[in-house]
Amino acid sequence: MIRGAACFRKLFQCSAVSSKVAARCYTAQAAVQPAIYSSDEESADIDWDNLGFNLMQTDYMYMTKCSDDGVFRKGQLNRYGNINLSPSAGVLNYGQGLFEGTKAYRRDDGRVFLFRPEQNAIRMQIGAERMCMPSPTTDQFVDAVKQTALANKRWIPPSGKGSLYIRPLLIGTGPILGLAPAPEYTFLVYACPVGNYFKQGTAPLNLYVEEDVHRASRGGAGGVKSITNYAPVLKAMKNAKANGYSDVLYVDAVNKKYIEEVSSCNIFLVKGNVLSTPIAKGTILEGITRKSIMDIAHDLGYTVEERLIEADELISADEVFCTGTAVGVAPVGSITYKGQRIEYKISSDLLCKQFYSRLVGIQRGVIKDERDWIVEIE
C-alpha cells in the first residue's frame, strides 16, 4: 500500500519547488454537523423508479485540506455547495486532480453498505503518487465515504431502485504560477442518487471503435483516475452519440489494433469458457468492478485472461460486455469496426448476466460475501 505522505515527500523533492513552507493541515472552515437521517420517513421526495445518471444536489459533502507536510487531518461535513478556488489553483491551471467513484446500497432490511471502498482508496493513492500529490490514508478515505453516505442517507434509493453514487475528489487547490505541485490540496467527497448510467437503461450497448482519437498513451496517466483523462475523449463520444452509438471503444495509440477500454468503463470478451480483458499496462484503468467480475468468473470455474486483444477478435467473440462502478455490468449488442457492424446475440443466459446477478447478490446480502467486499455503514 502506498502511503500518501511518503509518496508526496519523495516526489515533491524531485519537483521544481526548492523551498518548504511550514504549514499545517486543517479542516474546512464553517463546517456544519449534519443530522444523521435514520428512517425512510425522511427519505427524499424522488421518483425512485425513474432515476437516471444525472446530478442531483444532496445535503452534505465532506472536506478537508492539507498543505505540504503531506498529512490530511480529520475532515468535517459541510452543507453541499460551491467551493472557493483561486484562479491560479493547480487543478485549474495544470489539471492536478484525481477522482474516484463508489456506491452505497440499501438492502431490503434498510441497512446500508459500501462495496470495496478500500480499493478506491488504494487506487487514489497510486494515482496521487503519479500526479505528485499527497493522499488520504485508506482509513481516512473510507471514513470520509462513510460519513458522506450517512449524512445523505435519505438520498439512498430503496433496495433494487438504484444506489447513492459517491464521488471522492483530490485536487490541487493551492495557487501556483510556475509548473510545479500545488502548495495545498483538498480532499472532498459528495454524493448523488443514481440509476442506470446509459440513457437507454439496461438495453445492450452499441459501441464504435475509434482508431484516430486515443484515450491514453504509454507513459501517460491512463492507468490512474486523473481528471485529465476524460475531457480529451468528449469529442469522440459526442461524434459517436450523434451517429446513434452508446459509447466509444478505443484502441492503443502505438499499434492502433489492440482494444483498450470504453470512455467510462472496462471491456470483456467471451469465447467459449474463456473470459478475456485487455491487460493493464499503464494505459487502462483497473476498475474495481473489473476486478470483482474477474474474481467471480474464477469462482464459477471460468478461465480469465488479461492479455493484448486485437480488435479483429471482436468479430469472433461469443459475447462482449462492459464493467464499471457507474455502468455496472452492461451487455454489448453491437460494435462497429472499420465500417463493419458486428452484432452479438442477446439472451437471458449471457455470462455477463450471470456474473452481474452474483455481484448484485453479494451487494444485497442474498449471496454470502466470502471475500469481505462489503462494508456496513453503522
Side-chain angles (χ1 to χ4, degrees):
M1 185 179 298
I2 298 173
R3 295 285 182 182
C7 296
F8 176 71
R9 283 193 287 269
K10 178 181 177 182
L11 290 167
F12 204 83
Q13 289 169 357
C14 300
S15 73
V17 180
S18 59
S19 62
K20 300 284 185 178
V21 179
R24 64 185 181 87
C25 298
Y26 54 96
T27 55
Q29 299 300 309
V32 180
Q33 285 294 64
I36 303 302
Y37 301 100
S38 59
S39 76
D40 290 335
E41 293 178 356
E42 296 186 57
S43 65
D45 185 16
I46 296 174
D47 181 1
W48 299 116
D49 292 318
N50 292 292
L51 274 180
F53 200 91
N54 302 299
L55 182 63
M56 188 180 300
Q57 181 172 322
T58 52
D59 296 323
Y60 294 96
M61 62 184 187
Y62 175 100
M63 188 185 299
T64 184
K65 295 186 178 183
C66 174
S67 295
D68 67 346
D69 65 354
V71 179
F72 284 88
R73 306 298 181 190
K74 184 178 180 180
Q76 291 188 0
L77 290 156
N78 298 330
R79 280 285 182 181
Y80 181 94
N82 295 337
I83 60 174
N84 292 321
L85 277 180
S86 166
S88 57
V91 66
L92 297 180
N93 290 263
Y94 300 116
Q96 200 180 18
L98 298 160
F99 74 91
E100 278 295 330
T102 188
K103 288 179 176 178
Y105 303 86
R106 190 188 297 274
R107 291 186 176 175
D108 291 337
D109 61 6
R111 292 187 298 163
V112 177
F113 294 81
L114 299 171
F115 183 72
R116 308 189 73 179
E118 77 288 344
Q119 292 296 311
N120 297 93
I122 293 169
R123 189 168 65 179
M124 177 171 277
Q125 291 161 12
I126 293 171
E129 181 185 38
R130 176 65 181 85
M131 302 297 286
C132 207
M133 305 167 72
S135 62
T137 66
T138 300
D139 287 344
Q140 287 175 321
F141 182 102
V142 173
D143 180 66
V145 169
K146 284 182 176 181
Q147 286 193 50
T148 305
L150 275 175
N152 295 292
K153 188 175 180 181
R154 71 191 186 105
W155 297 90
I156 303 177
S159 178
K161 300 292 187 180
S163 58
L164 184 72
Y165 183 81
I166 302 171
R167 172 64 61 84
L169 290 168
L170 180 62
I171 54 178
T173 46
I176 193 80
L177 183 60
L179 181 57
E184 175 189 277
Y185 296 87
T186 296
F187 176 55
L188 183 152
V189 186
Y190 68 93
C192 175
V194 297
N196 292 314
Y197 180 78
F198 290 103
K199 289 184 178 180
Q200 62 265 45
T202 58
L205 306 181
N206 299 305
L207 303 180
Y208 175 80
V209 178
E210 175 59 63
E211 299 177 81
D212 297 320
V213 177
H214 300 285
R215 177 191 169 275
S217 59
R218 292 181 183 177
V224 300
K225 209 166 177 62
S226 167
I227 62 173
T228 57
N229 291 335
Y230 295 87
V233 305
L234 294 179
K235 184 175 182 179
M237 287 178 60
K238 182 179 178 181
N239 291 340
K241 291 184 178 183
N243 287 293
Y245 299 104
S246 308
D247 211 329
V248 176
L249 172 59
Y250 300 91
V251 295
D252 74 291
V254 177
N255 301 288
K256 298 187 178 182
K257 68 176 184 178
Y258 298 109
I259 63 171
E260 294 204 322
E261 64 179 289
V262 181
S263 303
S264 57
C265 47
N266 298 120
I267 192 164
F268 286 85
L269 277 67
V270 177
K271 185 68 175 177
N273 198 49
V274 180
L275 184 68
S276 301
T277 191
I279 189 169
K281 284 191 173 181
T283 57
I284 296 172
L285 185 69
E286 296 188 66
I288 312 304
T289 309
R290 173 183 179 269
K291 291 180 181 180
S292 304
I293 292 299
M294 290 167 66
D295 287 338
I296 287 172
H298 273 300
D299 292 345
L300 294 177
Y302 293 93
T303 300
V304 179
E305 298 178 339
E306 291 183 86
R307 61 178 178 85
L308 294 175
I309 301 175
E310 293 193 22
D312 287 339
E313 295 184 51
L314 295 168
I315 299 171
S316 59
D318 298 332
E319 178 184 338
V320 178
F321 63 91
C322 295
T323 65
T325 298
V327 172
V329 178
V332 174
S334 74
I335 297 179
T336 299
Y337 174 51
K338 292 187 180 296
Q340 177 183 356
R341 183 182 174 93
I342 309 160
E343 296 193 355
Y344 303 99
K345 183 180 179 181
I346 300 298
S347 65
S348 59
D349 60 352
L350 289 176
L351 287 186
C352 70
K353 292 189 176 182
Q354 296 179 36
F355 299 152
Y356 187 51
S357 177
R358 190 171 183 85
L359 177 66
V360 172
I362 294 171
Q363 291 170 342
R364 293 182 180 174
V366 177
I367 297 174
K368 186 176 180 180
D369 176 21
E370 302 281 359
R371 298 175 180 269
D372 293 327
W373 285 349
I374 306 302
V375 176
E376 184 171 5
I377 304 174
E378 299 177 354

